[in-house]
Amino acid sequence: MKTMIKLSHIHKVFGDLHVLKDVNLEVGEGEKLVIIGPSGSGKSTTVRCMNFLEVPTSGKVFINGTEVTPKNRLKVIRENTSMVFQSFNLYPHLDVMHNLTLAPVKIHHKSEAEARELARHYLQVVGLENKANAYPAALSGGQQQRIAIARALCQQSKIMLFDEPTSALDPETIQEVLDVMVKLAEESNITMVVVTHEMGFARKVADRVVFMEDGRIIEEGTPDELFDHPKSERVKQFLGKILNH
Amino acid sequence: MFGNMFSARAWELVWSFRGTFLLGFWHTLLTSILAIAMSLALGLIFGLMSSGTKTSLKAVARVYVEFIQNTPLLLQICFLYYALSFSGHGIGILASGIISIGLYHGAYMSEVFRAGIQSIPKGQFESAEAQGFGYVGMMRYIILPQTVKVVLPPMTNQIVNLIKNTSVLYIIGGTDLISNTYSFVTGVNTGGAYGPAYLVCGALFFVMCYPLSRAATIWETSLKKRDQMSAAKE
Ligand SMILES: Nc1ncnc2c1ncn2[C@@H]1O[C@H](COP(=O)(O)OP(=O)(O)OP(=O)(O)O)[C@@H](O)[C@H]1O
Ligand SMILES: [Mg+2]
């Protein structure tokens, strides 16, 4: 299997805070990787290093075979990655259609017509084709996040990064977003890296689960291995807490 | 000379010198338009610099803003006009006025833009970056359009202040609206028609400033209405 993402000896330091301590990780093409771990363990920072939203203090990031540097970062991102955030981050001054077509038109140099075609297709995928003309403020959290997923899909990237995509949602709307993500995971060959606390989702779609603590990857394995037969005491503890919620 | 400041005779005098007022109006308008353009350009550039991450650029912007904001405009215009004239590189009254007023209000505009850009949530910048937008594209398509709502009221305020501040041209012998009005009322043949002259002058300023304020208010209201409508739709 081709390696799409490779983190090699990544360290990240914020001021006095050593947030990532020698993180090594490889994600294969089409693989669905879930990252779990307690708050502050460095999950977000790890994913954000993959598209250089955070520049690692040391270590190397390879995307689709290319080493990412501050210089080629934009080019590598444009060609390979898209991201879905916890807080949706839709562009509030643009309606849904323009949220979706902005990057295809301005970054990927598609014609307006092509971009709209693409947008309509992915709106259908997330089940919101009737919202093309709405502004983000008019949508519920779950709908906004589905639009954000559609926007990321419009970039037609090989890699999609998700940083806690359902953590800011009301419990009733979490499922509609998870359903879209499951569909994506099952029907597409997109490489997905998902930070989440949704264990049901992880079990269903993850090829591999990574547990982080205090800036390190402590354990990794298939969902069955990690959830049912965790090796380290720390993972057992964490899962106990999460599952009893 | 005139028993009544507002006598018909005084109004006639103003009317017969209408050319002086119109010329003043024209010079004030011209100075304002060019100085506004300059202050917006400077404000945008320095506002971007001071809201960015490069500390060197931030420092440069800071020096400009602090220096301009903490010295009088009158001093700046005198310096530009007289210092250059006496060193043999005079650029003329109008150009001196446009540049010094543009520089002065550019510093205030810079703060307006900086505040506007800094009011945009961090997630918007990250979203743009994650989509592959570079700095220019991000600012142009994503960040700056969102600042309009925030920037509009203080920007209009600055523009109106700028128009009124063209009166500093008086000190370097300008022929703007205030200077011409003042020359008129203090002139040998024209003296005494204070009331009508100042009223006309004020009316001409009002004609320039009020439509601007109104237009900005209407624009702002329509932006707010769009937000409310989109939020209420669901
Ligand atoms: N820009 C930053 N500046 C300073 N410290 C930061 C920054 N970003 C993250 N940190 C710190 O780094 C540590 C790891 O943060 P990170 O967001 O990666 O954790 P996380 O595992 O995603 O946690 P959570 O589950 O709460 O999202 C935290 O202590 C956080 O406070
Ligand atoms: Mg996080």
Side-chain angles (χ1 to χ4, degrees):
Chain A
M1 191 167 49
K2 186 172 161 195
T3 301
M4 285 303 281
I5 307 171
K6 181 176 174 187
L7 302 182
S8 167
H9 301 293
I10 297 294
H11 287 260
K12 180 66 189 180
V13 179
F14 290 112
D16 310 327
L17 211 58
H18 201 155
V19 171
L20 295 185
K21 301 163 181 164
D22 195 36
V23 170
N24 294 284
L25 187 62
E26 282 192 38
V27 190
E29 185 169 23
E31 193 180 356
K32 321 298 174 200
L33 180 84
V34 165
I35 302 180
I36 61 171
S39 179
S41 57
K43 306 179 298 292
S44 297
T45 310
T46 301
V47 206
R48 291 159 60 88
C49 280
M50 292 175 180
N51 64 356
F52 257 46
L53 275 186
E54 303 290 357
V55 180
T57 309
S58 69
K60 288 178 178 179
V61 178
F62 295 87
I63 295 294
N64 199 3
T66 309
E67 183 182 347
V68 189
T69 63
K71 249 199 175 135
N72 70 8
R73 166 187 139 253
L74 272 185
K75 187 170 181 295
V76 176
I77 290 174
R78 285 173 180 176
E79 289 169 1
N80 294 286
T81 71
S82 58
M83 188 165 194
V84 175
F85 298 87
Q86 182 174 349
S87 49
F88 332 134
N89 298 347
L90 293 177
Y91 304 133
H93 61 302
L94 300 176
D95 64 15
V96 164
M97 181 52 79
H98 286 93
N99 262 278
L100 268 56
T101 56
L102 189 66
V105 171
K106 303 297 177 194
I107 302 289
H108 303 288
H109 307 295
K110 289 196 166 37
S111 73
E112 197 74 41
E114 268 179 290
R116 284 176 166 269
E117 192 58 38
L118 199 65
R120 270 191 291 270
H121 171 71
Y122 287 118
L123 279 177
Q124 223 156 18
V125 170
V126 302
L128 288 172
E129 57 273 52
N130 58 338
K131 295 293 181 193
N133 300 317
Y135 278 86
L139 303 175
S140 71
Q143 290 173 334
Q144 288 193 48
Q145 194 61 301
R146 282 149 72 196
I147 297 295
I149 293 173
R151 181 177 69 175
L153 285 168
C154 282
Q155 290 174 247
Q156 298 188 293
S157 57
K158 302 178 197 75
I159 299 170
M160 285 180 85
L161 309 172
F162 296 81
D163 189 3
E164 301 206 31
T166 57
S167 298
L169 295 176
D170 295 333
E172 316 88 82
T173 59
I174 290 180
Q175 201 51 47
E176 67 184 59
V177 172
L178 289 178
D179 287 345
V180 167
M181 292 176 58
V182 169
K183 186 160 108 180
L184 269 184
E186 287 173 350
E187 293 173 11
S188 77
N189 192 37
I190 299 172
T191 306
M192 291 168 68
V193 177
V194 186
V195 177
T196 185
H197 295 295
E198 297 294 331
M199 297 304 150
F201 169 82
R203 252 183 210 285
K204 204 162 185 179
V205 308
D207 296 309
R208 193 154 49 108
V209 181
V210 160
F211 181 87
M212 288 192 74
E213 162 129 273
D214 191 27
R216 289 191 182 87
I217 294 176
I218 304 209
E219 192 170 334
E220 59 174 278
T222 64
D224 288 347
E225 287 167 3
L226 206 105
F227 293 144
D228 300 336
H229 313 285
K231 286 186 220 106
S232 78
E233 213 37 52
R234 190 58 194 98
V235 179
K236 273 180 212 161
Q237 240 177 35
F238 177 78
L239 290 174
K241 257 191 228 154
I242 289 256
L243 297 176
N244 291 337
H245 261 269
Chain B
M1 202 170 172
F2 300 102
N4 183 351
M5 223 168 60
F6 293 108
S7 68
R9 175 78 184 79
W11 283 101
E12 275 165 26
L13 200 55
V14 169
W15 177 246
S16 64
F17 278 84
R18 60 188 176 278
T20 308
F21 288 90
L22 287 176
L23 187 72
F25 179 80
W26 166 240
H27 282 158
T28 287
L29 191 64
L30 184 70
T31 309
S32 297
I33 289 171
L34 293 173
I36 288 167
M38 183 171 160
S39 72
L40 287 175
L42 286 174
L44 184 59
I45 291 167
F46 284 97
L48 287 169
M49 281 164 66
S50 52
S51 60
T53 49
K54 281 235 166 61
T55 35
S56 54
L57 292 181
K58 266 182 153 139
V60 171
R62 215 55 242 157
V63 169
Y64 163 62
V65 169
E66 294 299 340
F67 185 75
I68 294 286
Q69 287 192 347
N70 293 296
T71 52
L73 172 56
L74 272 180
L75 177 73
Q76 293 162 21
I77 194 171
C78 285
F79 179 80
L80 195 68
Y81 181 70
Y82 291 111
L84 285 182
S85 293
F86 283 111
S87 68
H89 299 90
I91 51 173
I93 293 171
L94 217 53
S96 299
I98 291 163
I99 292 173
S100 58
I101 296 169
L103 269 174
Y104 181 79
H105 284 279
Y108 287 91
M109 290 289 190
S110 157
E111 291 293 88
V112 169
F113 280 109
R114 181 180 62 80
I117 293 166
Q118 287 177 344
S119 75
I120 305 301
K122 206 166 142 244
Q124 292 292 311
F125 292 82
E126 294 188 343
S127 206
E129 240 185 277
Q131 286 210 293
F133 283 94
Y135 183 76
V136 174
M138 170 168 83
M139 283 299 160
R140 176 163 165 208
Y141 301 116
I142 295 159
I143 305 301
L144 290 177
Q146 293 186 52
T147 65
V148 173
K149 232 181 341 183
V150 190
V151 160
L152 205 54
M155 186 171 89
T156 314
N157 218 350
Q158 279 306 317
I159 289 178
V160 169
N161 278 335
L162 182 152
I163 295 173
K164 294 187 289 190
N165 269 345
T166 53
S167 56
V168 297
L169 279 166
Y170 179 73
I171 205 161
I172 57 170
T175 46
D176 59 291
L177 187 48
I178 286 282
S179 303
N180 277 10
T181 304
Y182 191 70
S183 316
F184 169 79
V185 294
T186 54
V188 180
N189 299 317
T190 55
Y194 293 106
Y198 286 135
L199 280 178
V200 165
C201 175
L204 288 173
F205 266 108
F206 189 81
V207 164
M208 277 186 272
C209 297
Y210 185 68
L212 268 172
S213 311
R214 276 304 298 161
T217 309
I218 290 168
W219 190 6
E220 199 192 335
T221 313
S222 79
L223 284 175
K224 281 208 185 110
K225 206 174 268 166
R226 193 192 72 188
D227 283 0
Q228 279 163 7
M229 264 171 52
S230 67
K233 237 192 250 165
E234 206 59 9

